[in-house]
Amino acid sequence: MRSFNLFGRLSSAFQDYPSLSKIIVVSTISGGSLIAYVEANTNNGVKGHVAHADAITSNDAHGIASSPVVPKKKKVVLLGTGWAGMSFLKNLNNPTYEVEVVSPRNFFVFTPLLPSVTCGKVEPRSIVEPIRNIIRKKNVDISFSEAECFKIDSENKKIYCRATINSNSKGEEEFLVEYDYLIIAVGAQVNTFNTPGVEENCHFLKEIDDAQKIRKNVIESFEKASLPNLSDEERKKILHFVIVGGGPTGVEFAAELHDFVNQDVVKLYPMVQHFVKITLLEATDHVLNMFDKRITNFAEEKFGRGGIDVKLGSTVTKVGDNEISTRARGNGGPTSTPYGMVLWSTGIGPRPLIKEFMKQIGQGNRRALATDEWLRVEGFDNIYALGDCATINQRKVMEDISEIFKKADKDNSGTLTVKEFQEIIDDICERYPQVELYLKSKQVRNIFDLLKEAKRDAAKESIELNIEQFKSALSTVDSQMKNLPATAQVANQQGAYLAKCFNRMEECEKNPEGPPRFRGTGRHRFHPFRYRHLGQFAPLGGEQTAAQLPGDWVSIGHSSQWLWYSVYASKQVSWRTRALVVSDWVRRFIFGRDTSGI
């Protein structure tokens, strides 16, 4: 009985105080060890969704009880529980806000491991974390509603929601939520490019339900192909897996499926293994276009050696019940190929809520919500958008070039010296990050060299630029502007950034810390959001992974696979999911993949 109480107390301690757990060591069957270290949340004071009661104070002189006046909290409504929403919740620690989370799912999904779920390498529950587990540890008043927002009324600061859970009441339950600040982090949906038959016949890989459906379909395909009453042609059709899209998701699923066939199917379904065919269709010239060419070439060569049929320059025109139609680039005509399963992974598009909201605010011709550098939806001070549903519309230097010149020309001489430009260059680079990218791309050592190049035709030996020469020096700077990729890494950083802004909102209202306003006076409240790329991985199967890290560092092979294990273990949002994921990896090494299809 004592041991039971001891273990119960230990369990409660680790759940309530995750800071007690800092290091986890994962021993592998090869005798090595992998260490993943993550800072745990140390905010363990008042639990999430705190019920606030009025404090009663006694007056010693008169014995009269009174309640102090509590200022009304500002209402923050968060739409979505993906990477951006989860990161915002985990980093928000300002108790002066009342936060309501609205999402059709009550959990967070570690999406980079979805391909691992499709073939039984990782269990579905190992990569999901209940949102209530995250908010209960916060000292902020947070509530959650499992519902879907279907309309945003920005004029009246309201959103219209519809419950997604079944109830006994007649009809669909709809309700209103008012807000002071609205944070839109609903993500995106798969872009079908209006290709006929995609919605009806293809699998997607955006949610945990998608991964489970694919896993069940893969197992059922092998079971069906093993039936004795089928011909060889029927088996070939059933076991023909087609992946449309050569991005990270498509490539990783192809690699996972190939490993499953070569490591497990050969043992469990030996009679049908030679009927399996994996085809990867990519409309451009290469797979993994966002990676270094060395990684792209290695991936294509490895897939070719492994028997994965990679067809480049191949566009899908139609997906029928049993055949997929493609057209090769150039003079190639349309061809139709029988298939057993198709995974569609060709990019993302806006959800219906975002489409409707963009029409309301005059952004109907865009692919995502346009925000400024502080993640505010253009035209609104109280609506923010982050993650896959939004894109930052970086302001161009040439739009403000005259105001920049006036700010720098402090003596109003009509010319700009090197010293004057050096005094303001840091503020310019912070407000317009494309300037810094331009200097790096031109390999300009300092500002003097840049201004000297613009002054090369002038008669004076001293470096002084007028407004026209200054415009000439920065005329091509805006060509360095690029949209951020729609990745978990970007959304995670945006959520953390916005939470820090809300944590310091009152302080920065009084003492702004951002760059100066070139069109106006004073400074911006906050520093603008800056994405810091930490690298990217592309698992290629066979315990080999391609890693591209900052500084043009590229690594391909087994060592990168262990780095992938370490990083993905450390990036889990809780010690519970971290332990589950690592145990799944160990289980797979020892016992193989789970092929139950459940």
Side-chain angles (χ1 to χ4, degrees):
M1 194 70 180
R2 289 183 178 179
S3 14
F4 176 78
N5 292 335
L6 176 61
F7 282 113
R9 291 177 181 177
L10 286 174
S11 176
S12 299
F14 278 104
Q15 290 179 20
D16 294 338
Y17 298 93
S19 58
L20 296 174
S21 302
K22 293 281 185 171
I23 299 177
I24 180 170
V25 179
V26 181
S27 299
T28 67
I29 58 175
S30 61
S33 62
L34 172 67
I35 299 178
Y37 174 82
V38 172
E39 282 293 335
N41 186 353
T42 56
N43 292 327
N44 296 292
V46 185
K47 303 297 181 184
H49 196 134
V50 181
H52 293 277
D54 290 337
I56 304 298
T57 59
S58 298
N59 188 307
D60 294 335
H62 303 284
I64 301 175
S66 60
S67 300
V69 178
V70 179
K72 183 180 179 181
K73 295 183 177 182
K74 289 189 175 181
K75 181 74 169 288
V76 178
V77 174
L78 170 64
L79 302 181
T81 52
W83 278 96
M86 177 278 302
S87 181
F88 177 82
L89 291 175
K90 291 202 72 172
N91 288 277
L92 183 69
N93 55 30
N94 190 339
T96 62
Y97 293 106
E98 176 191 354
V99 181
E100 181 164 354
V101 184
V102 178
S103 175
R105 67 183 192 191
N106 65 351
F107 54 86
F108 163 78
V109 180
F110 192 86
T111 51
L113 287 180
L114 281 176
S116 297
V117 175
T118 59
C119 294
K121 187 176 182 178
V122 173
E123 290 300 313
R125 289 191 178 276
S126 299
I127 63 169
V128 299
E129 180 69 14
I131 285 298
R132 295 185 185 276
N133 280 1
I134 295 175
I135 65 179
R136 75 184 181 88
K137 301 181 179 73
K138 305 296 296 182
N139 63 339
V140 183
D141 186 3
I142 305 177
S143 61
F144 174 78
S145 298
E146 187 171 337
E148 182 178 10
C149 174
F150 63 90
K151 183 181 177 182
I152 299 173
D153 184 358
S154 57
E155 184 176 351
N156 297 307
K157 296 183 180 181
K158 298 178 181 178
I159 62 170
Y160 293 79
C161 303
R162 181 182 298 118
T164 57
I165 54 178
N166 295 327
S167 63
N168 295 325
S169 60
K170 296 181 180 180
E172 296 174 326
E173 294 184 351
E174 296 184 359
F175 57 93
L176 292 173
V177 179
E178 297 182 348
Y179 66 84
D180 294 304
Y181 296 99
L182 177 64
I183 301 173
I184 306 173
V186 296
Q189 63 184 14
V190 175
N191 192 351
T192 65
F193 299 98
N194 296 319
T195 306
V198 172
E199 289 281 356
E200 298 83 3
N201 302 307
C202 293
H203 287 274
F204 306 121
L205 193 52
K206 289 285 292 179
E207 302 289 345
I208 195 68
D209 291 341
D210 297 333
Q212 289 176 298
K213 290 177 183 177
I214 293 173
R215 177 174 175 174
K216 184 177 181 180
N217 193 302
V218 168
I219 299 302
E220 288 181 349
S221 296
F222 282 101
E223 292 293 349
K224 186 176 180 180
S226 300
L227 296 176
N229 60 333
L230 299 179
S231 65
D232 288 351
E233 289 300 319
E234 288 175 317
R235 290 189 175 95
K236 288 180 180 178
K237 173 188 173 298
I238 293 171
L239 297 179
H240 184 199
F241 300 94
V242 180
I243 299 111
V244 183
T249 300
V251 167
E252 187 171 349
F253 174 70
E256 287 284 354
L257 185 58
H258 183 265
D259 282 354
F260 174 64
V261 171
N262 286 274
Q263 296 172 9
D264 297 274
V265 169
V266 293
K267 303 173 184 177
L268 302 173
Y269 305 92
M271 299 299 293
V272 298
Q273 59 172 313
H274 55 282
F275 293 111
V276 178
K277 182 179 180 181
I278 303 173
T279 301
L280 180 61
L281 303 176
E282 170 56 39
T284 63
D285 295 329
H286 296 283
V287 300
L288 298 176
N289 282 315
M290 66 294 300
F291 282 80
D292 187 274
K293 290 183 178 179
R294 291 168 286 181
I295 294 177
T296 295
N297 295 333
F298 181 87
E300 292 172 357
E301 293 173 2
K302 186 179 187 303
F303 278 10
R305 292 193 306 268
I308 299 177
D309 186 12
V310 180
K311 294 184 178 181
L312 302 174
S314 183
T315 304
V316 177
T317 57
K318 181 182 178 181
V319 182
D321 294 339
N322 301 301
E323 291 185 333
I324 182 169
S325 302
T326 60
R327 182 185 297 275
R329 188 187 308 167
N331 297 325
T335 59
S336 296
T337 307
Y339 72 87
M341 190 192 85
V342 177
L343 171 67
W344 187 272
S345 177
T346 60
I348 58 174
R351 295 187 183 275
L353 170 69
I354 302 301
K355 290 180 182 179
E356 182 62 30
F357 184 53
M358 287 193 295
K359 289 180 182 179
Q360 293 179 21
I361 62 177
Q363 295 187 19
N365 60 340
R366 300 187 64 91
R367 296 181 180 179
L369 272 172
T371 71
D372 62 13
E373 299 86 337
W374 291 268
L375 308 183
R376 296 173 299 193
V377 174
E378 290 187 342
F380 298 91
D381 289 330
N382 65 333
I383 301 180
Y384 298 81
L386 46 161
D388 294 352
C389 69
T391 182
I392 297 176
N393 192 11
Q394 176 64 51
R395 190 168 182 83
K396 296 180 180 180
V397 173
M398 298 309 293
E399 293 177 353
D400 299 331
I401 193 70
S402 298
E403 284 70 21
I404 295 173
F405 186 87
K406 291 178 183 178
K407 288 279 187 180
D409 184 20
K410 295 183 178 179
D411 58 1
N412 296 321
S413 63
T415 59
L416 198 62
T417 65
V418 173
K419 182 180 179 181
E420 288 176 325
F421 195 51
Q422 284 177 331
E423 290 176 353
I424 202 172
I425 186 61
D426 289 339
D427 291 329
I428 293 176
C429 287
E430 183 178 15
R431 183 64 182 86
Y432 310 94
Q434 60 266 37
V435 174
E436 186 175 358
L437 295 175
Y438 176 77
L439 296 177
K440 290 180 179 179
S441 66
K442 297 285 287 186
Q443 296 183 342
V444 177
R445 291 175 297 177
N446 49 49
I447 299 302
F448 177 81
D449 291 341
L450 177 65
L451 299 185
K452 185 178 180 181
E453 182 179 350
K455 189 70 176 177
R456 60 182 181 274
D457 298 328
K460 292 183 179 181
E461 294 181 0
S462 60
I463 305 298
E464 291 188 5
L465 272 66
N466 59 32
I467 181 64
E468 296 302 323
Q469 292 168 334
F470 184 64
K471 289 181 179 179
S472 176
L474 301 178
S475 60
T476 59
V477 164
D478 292 325
S479 64
Q480 300 296 316
M481 295 171 58
K482 295 181 180 179
N483 290 330
L484 295 177
T487 63
Q489 190 175 163
V490 172
N492 185 56
Q493 292 185 26
Q494 287 180 336
Y497 164 82
L498 189 59
K500 292 177 182 177
C501 291
F502 273 81
N503 291 339
R504 307 183 68 245
M505 187 77 75
E506 295 83 1
E507 179 183 348
C508 291
E509 287 280 2
K510 301 175 182 177
N511 301 302
E513 62 183 18
R517 300 178 184 272
F518 290 105
R519 286 182 175 271
T521 59
R523 307 182 75 89
H524 292 277
R525 281 184 302 178
F526 307 106
H527 296 289
F529 172 75
R530 288 293 174 266
Y531 170 61
R532 182 187 176 193
H533 186 60
L534 302 177
Q536 52 190 352
F537 292 97
L540 302 176
E543 293 300 315
Q544 294 189 50
T545 291
Q548 182 176 341
L549 302 179
D552 196 31
W553 188 84
V554 171
S555 175
I556 306 172
H558 297 287
S559 59
S560 299
Q561 179 69 34
W562 288 110
L563 179 61
W564 180 86
Y565 282 132
S566 179
V567 170
Y568 276 27
S570 66
K571 291 297 181 180
Q572 296 297 315
V573 298
S574 71
W575 282 101
R576 185 190 69 86
T577 56
R578 190 169 298 116
L580 290 174
V581 166
V582 172
S583 64
D584 285 345
W585 289 335
V586 174
R587 171 188 52 77
R588 198 268 304 178
F589 271 115
I590 300 174
F591 303 107
R593 292 168 177 81
D594 181 8
T595 58
S596 61
I598 299 176

